[in-house]
Amino acid sequence: MILSISVSRWLPFFVAFFLSASASVAHADLATANAHLKRAESNLELVESSIGHLTSPPKGSAAKLARMRLAQASGDLEPAGKLLAGLADGPGVAEARARHKKDVELRDKLQAILDGKPEPEPKPEPEPTPKPTPDPETPAEPKTVKLGYPHADNFKNALFNLRRVEGETTALVTLAGELHAIEDQLAVNHRQAASAVANLTETRRQAGFVRDALAKIPANGEGVAEAQERLATANANLDAAAGYFQPLDARLRELVDPARYPQCAGDLKRLTELSSAYANAELQFRDQRVRAADALRQSAAAQSECKRIEEAYARLMQQETDLGKRVAGACRGFHNTHAEFQAQAAAQRASLPVDIRKDLAEADQMANDAVREQKPLWFTGGIPQRMEWVADKLALLEVLDAEAGASVGREVEALRASLASRADSLRELIIRENPLPLDRFAGADRDAAIAVAKDAWSKQEPGFELLAVRIPSEAWSRDTKWTYSNGTWYYSDRSTLQVRLLVADPKNAELAIDRAINVKMDHQKGDTMIGVPLRSIDEALQPSEYLLRSKIR
């Protein structure tokens, strides 16, 4: 069956083609009209066999299929009527016009059943006077003959295959009608379109078997002509279905081709790594506050990036391709981790000022006790530890609540100044008690890291006297992250190792100065290293940064 939508779209072009090609030959016009009538009668016969006996409108798929076939019949009756109206009287014209009139009446009758309208009373037609005599030039219809063995068996098999072809064709036409109704054609599942094209190919193959089988059976055998007409209708319907499915399948194949999305692998990697920046929120806000603060600064940019990726690969996700499922999973993972991270951030915004002030109070009390009880190690142990907590928490608070961060920050700076003053009162004791830093790093790149640290400090203090080198950490600390800046995401992969250079104090021969140099290794640049001193040569040193040279062995 030919889809009604396909008829209205393509039939005018077919009719125009046939008219332009044979406008000057009346016999060809008559043949074309009869061909239209033959196809229309095939569809009308199918509709009449299914609903002609009904007294009320059919429902469901039966009604839908009947309307589709009537639409196809109308698509043939209309051009047939126009062709016949333009023909002069001649051999076979009157018979064709009568045939057309009968077909139109049957079409209207069946349409009335579908619409639930009573059938109009037929108007008696007057007998023509005089009655027309048969056209002597019109050849008599050939008589059919009963098929004998083996043609009867072959015809039986051909009919079996024909019914199969008609069933598959009906299913394809029905599906095409359902899918064509979808406004967004690119939302049609690509697997469904591909399956339909494969089914079309197989059904055409089966139709070819039927054609070959019928060609070997006498054309005037009983039912052979009708079978040929049914096959022609099925092939026409397959052409109509192919006209819809094949272009759609081509568009959808192109749409879901991974080669069209060369940036997807990079986008997925970035989104996954951005998601990891918001994972383990509770742990981050407890033990990795600097990292959490960094993630918070880029929160809006990360959300925008996830949205961009969702939009860029929306069709793949809609089509549920393997790549689309990976994108959907990455986006879903980001949204989940980011939402939990934001919930934890909201709780921290309320609690951090209280926590920071508690740490400040403890550090202040410890400093008072250290001065009163002459306990210098408190200025190199418990007090610095608490001030490190304060620094991490303050960095986070400044991102969460700039106003509160500024207020608490002023309190922190005031206490730092006070602590420095009190530490200075125990300066000699602190220096005397400062221990030699640990030295635990034994990596293969130890000498290279030390060389980079020495070079970095030499730019601050040319010709400095190196007394010893200590590296407290057992391993490099690696950090990978994405940073958003000026509308672009930048990826970094670096490791850090702190090298402690114990250098001679040029002002005091009994003292050494602990110069901390952070050596950074860039894994994206061939593991090249640079050294970054924590303090410049001009900055004032704390007592904790000195130690007795006698302790260096």
Side-chain angles (χ1 to χ4, degrees):
M1 292 147 286
I2 303 174
L3 284 167
S4 60
I5 53 174
S6 302
V7 170
S8 63
R9 180 179 299 172
W10 298 316
L11 190 56
F13 297 103
F14 296 152
V15 173
F17 173 78
F18 288 127
L19 288 178
S20 63
S22 57
S24 61
V25 184
H27 182 72
D29 286 345
L30 179 60
T32 301
N34 280 325
H36 281 301
L37 292 176
K38 187 172 290 188
R39 284 197 297 269
E41 287 161 356
S42 177
N43 279 305
L44 290 172
E45 181 182 351
L46 292 172
V47 176
E48 185 178 29
S49 65
S50 62
I51 70 167
H53 62 287
L54 300 178
T55 57
S56 60
K59 298 180 180 179
S61 59
K64 183 175 181 180
L65 188 58
R67 289 183 188 280
M68 187 183 301
R69 285 169 172 163
L70 279 184
Q72 295 167 14
S74 295
D76 279 313
L77 290 174
E78 181 178 349
K82 290 180 180 179
L83 284 171
L84 293 172
L87 291 175
D89 291 340
V93 174
E95 289 79 0
R97 286 173 178 162
R99 181 181 176 188
H100 177 265
K101 182 174 182 296
K102 180 180 177 182
D103 291 343
V104 170
E105 290 173 352
L106 178 57
R107 188 271 316 274
D108 294 343
K109 171 188 172 183
L110 296 173
Q111 188 66 55
I113 294 174
L114 282 174
D115 296 340
K117 297 178 181 179
E119 184 179 355
E121 291 292 331
K123 296 180 180 180
E125 293 191 12
E127 287 286 328
T129 305
K131 291 184 179 181
T133 57
D135 190 337
E137 297 183 16
T138 302
E141 290 290 331
K143 294 183 179 180
T144 59
V145 297
K146 189 175 183 63
L147 293 171
Y149 182 82
H151 294 313
D153 284 345
N154 294 337
F155 185 51
K156 181 179 178 181
N157 293 333
L159 289 179
F160 176 83
N161 289 328
L162 176 59
R163 285 191 294 271
R164 176 183 174 185
V165 168
E166 289 174 325
E168 294 295 336
T169 302
T170 298
L172 285 166
V173 170
T174 302
L175 178 61
E178 294 170 351
L179 297 183
H180 193 274
I182 298 174
E183 184 175 356
D184 181 6
Q185 285 291 281
L186 293 183
V188 174
N189 190 287
H190 71 285
R191 297 180 182 86
Q192 200 170 20
S195 176
V197 169
N199 196 10
L200 267 167
T201 301
E202 175 59 21
T203 304
R204 283 190 189 281
R205 192 173 75 91
Q206 294 297 328
F209 295 155
V210 176
R211 178 202 61 218
D212 294 345
L214 292 177
K216 298 175 181 178
I217 299 172
N220 64 343
E222 290 182 354
V224 174
E226 291 81 2
Q228 292 281 12
E229 291 180 8
R230 287 168 59 187
L231 179 61
T233 298
N235 280 324
N237 291 337
L238 286 173
D239 289 342
Y244 171 72
F245 281 117
Q246 288 175 343
L248 177 62
D249 178 55
R251 291 177 66 195
L252 292 177
R253 284 181 184 276
E254 181 184 9
L255 180 69
V256 302
D257 184 0
R260 290 192 66 216
Y261 307 91
Q263 305 299 322
C264 191
D267 286 342
L268 271 176
K269 180 178 184 296
R270 180 166 51 259
L271 184 59
T272 301
E273 291 172 355
L274 284 175
S275 182
S276 68
Y278 298 94
N280 302 313
E282 185 176 356
L283 174 66
Q284 284 199 61
F285 284 110
R286 186 182 68 240
D287 300 331
Q288 302 169 352
R289 294 186 179 91
V290 173
R291 177 185 174 190
D294 189 49
L296 278 171
R297 289 188 189 93
Q298 300 190 129
S299 177
Q303 285 183 293
S304 296
E305 178 67 359
C306 182
K307 181 179 179 182
R308 182 194 69 79
I309 290 173
E310 286 176 320
E311 292 173 351
Y313 308 106
R315 288 296 189 184
L316 292 181
M317 292 189 286
Q318 183 184 50
Q319 288 288 339
E320 295 185 329
T321 66
D322 291 341
L323 192 55
K325 289 177 181 178
R326 289 176 58 198
V327 173
C331 290
R332 187 166 54 251
F334 174 84
H335 287 307
N336 291 339
T337 57
H338 188 267
E340 182 180 350
F341 189 88
Q342 290 295 338
Q344 288 285 341
Q348 289 286 317
R349 185 180 295 112
S351 65
L352 276 175
V354 176
D355 291 346
I356 293 172
R357 290 187 173 106
K358 179 182 177 183
D359 291 336
L360 292 176
E362 290 180 358
D364 183 52
Q365 183 62 50
M366 291 179 73
N368 288 336
D369 293 344
V371 171
R372 184 180 64 253
E373 300 173 18
Q374 297 291 287
K375 294 181 177 179
L377 290 182
W378 287 17
F379 280 100
T380 59
I383 294 173
Q385 182 185 54
R386 277 159 180 77
M387 294 310 292
E388 287 178 6
W389 297 347
V390 166
D392 288 354
K393 293 176 182 178
L394 180 60
L396 182 56
L397 180 61
E398 287 172 339
V399 178
L400 288 169
D401 189 335
E403 184 177 348
S407 176
V408 175
R410 289 189 289 270
E411 298 177 34
V412 172
E413 288 307 312
L415 183 61
R416 286 188 192 281
S418 175
L419 290 173
S421 175
R422 281 177 278 182
D424 197 54
S425 70
L426 297 177
R427 180 181 180 84
E428 297 301 327
L429 289 175
I430 292 173
I431 293 175
R432 187 180 68 192
E433 296 295 334
N434 282 338
L436 189 67
L438 296 173
D439 190 25
R440 298 187 292 181
F441 184 75
D445 46 11
R446 175 186 174 89
D447 291 343
I450 292 173
V452 169
K454 289 164 62 177
D455 181 67
W457 186 247
S458 69
K459 293 178 175 57
Q460 294 281 333
E461 187 183 4
F464 71 93
E465 181 184 354
L466 180 64
L467 303 175
V469 177
R470 314 288 280 183
I471 304 179
S473 299
E474 292 182 345
W476 291 83
S477 175
R478 190 161 184 167
D479 182 35
T480 59
K481 65 179 180 179
W482 287 91
T483 303
Y484 186 77
S485 178
N486 297 324
T488 304
W489 285 98
Y490 298 93
Y491 180 72
S492 60
D493 183 3
R494 300 186 180 95
S495 293
T496 302
L497 184 70
Q498 189 173 92
V499 177
R500 309 281 281 273
L501 301 180
L502 303 179
V503 304
D505 183 355
K507 299 177 182 180
N508 190 330
E510 295 182 355
L511 297 180
I513 301 174
D514 184 357
R515 295 293 186 182
I517 312 295
N518 280 344
V519 177
K520 297 183 178 294
M521 180 187 292
D522 194 331
H523 300 295
Q524 292 181 285
K525 296 181 179 179
D527 289 345
T528 55
M529 301 182 199
I530 60 171
V532 182
L534 264 63
R535 290 183 182 273
S536 70
I537 191 71
D538 299 325
E539 290 185 71
L541 295 171
Q542 298 297 316
S544 59
E545 294 173 279
Y546 291 92
L547 73 158
L548 298 174
R549 287 183 64 164
S550 60
K551 291 186 177 181
I552 301 175
R553 296 179 178 84

